[in-house]
Amino acid sequence: SLGLCATLVALKQGLKVSDQPMPQSKRGVDGATSAHARLFSVFRQVWEGILSLKSDRTIALLILNTLVTNMLVYPLGSVVFPVIFKAIPEGA
C-alpha cells in the first residue's frame, strides 16, 4: 500500500499539463448555444454508455453490484440498523 502511494505521488509529480486556450472554432459564437451543445453531448455520451452495457455483461453486473451496495447495504448498515437496534428494549 505504501509502495502504491509512493508510485502515485511520483507519477503525479511528473505530470505536466499545458494550459492552452480553446480555439474560437470550438467555442461557438453564442455561449448559450455552445452550452446546449455541451450538455447534449454529455447526455449522448451517457446514453451510449448505457447502451454499451448490453454488450458487456461483466461491466453491467459490476455497476449493478455497486448501485445495490451503495443504495441499499451502506444506508441500512449505517442509518437504519442502528435506529432499529436502539429501539429494541435491552432485555428483549
Side-chain angles (χ1 to χ4, degrees), residues 1 3 29 42 63:
S1 177
V29 177
V42 168
I63 291 175

Side-chain angles (χ1 to χ4, degrees), residues 6 55 89:
S55 63

Side-chain angles (χ1 to χ4, degrees), residues 74-87:
Y74 290 148
L76 282 174
S78 62
V79 177
V80 177
F81 288 153
V83 171
I84 291 173
F85 293 145
K86 194 173 187 178

Side-chain angles (χ1 to χ4, degrees), residues 40-64 67:
F40 178 73
S41 174
V42 168
F43 284 118
R44 183 178 47 80
Q45 288 177 6
V46 168
W47 183 249
E48 288 174 0
I50 291 170
L51 291 178
S52 72
L53 294 177
K54 289 181 180 179
S55 63
D56 193 353
R57 290 192 52 105
T58 304
I59 297 295
L61 289 173
L62 285 171
I63 291 175
L64 178 66
L67 288 173

Side-chain angles (χ1 to χ4, degrees), residues 7-75:
T7 304
L8 289 175
V9 168
L11 287 173
K12 184 178 176 185
Q13 293 300 322
L15 182 66
K16 292 183 181 182
V17 178
S18 62
D19 289 332
Q20 296 178 354
M22 187 183 293
Q24 282 287 1
S25 62
K26 291 188 178 182
R27 283 188 201 166
V29 177
D30 185 14
T33 305
S34 179
H36 283 64
R38 288 192 307 249
L39 184 63
F40 178 73
S41 174
V42 168
F43 284 118
R44 183 178 47 80
Q45 288 177 6
V46 168
W47 183 249
E48 288 174 0
I50 291 170
L51 291 178
S52 72
L53 294 177
K54 289 181 180 179
S55 63
D56 193 353
R57 290 192 52 105
T58 304
I59 297 295
L61 289 173
L62 285 171
I63 291 175
L64 178 66
N65 181 29
T66 302
L67 288 173
V68 168
T69 301
N70 289 329
M71 293 182 158
L72 290 175
V73 176
Y74 290 148

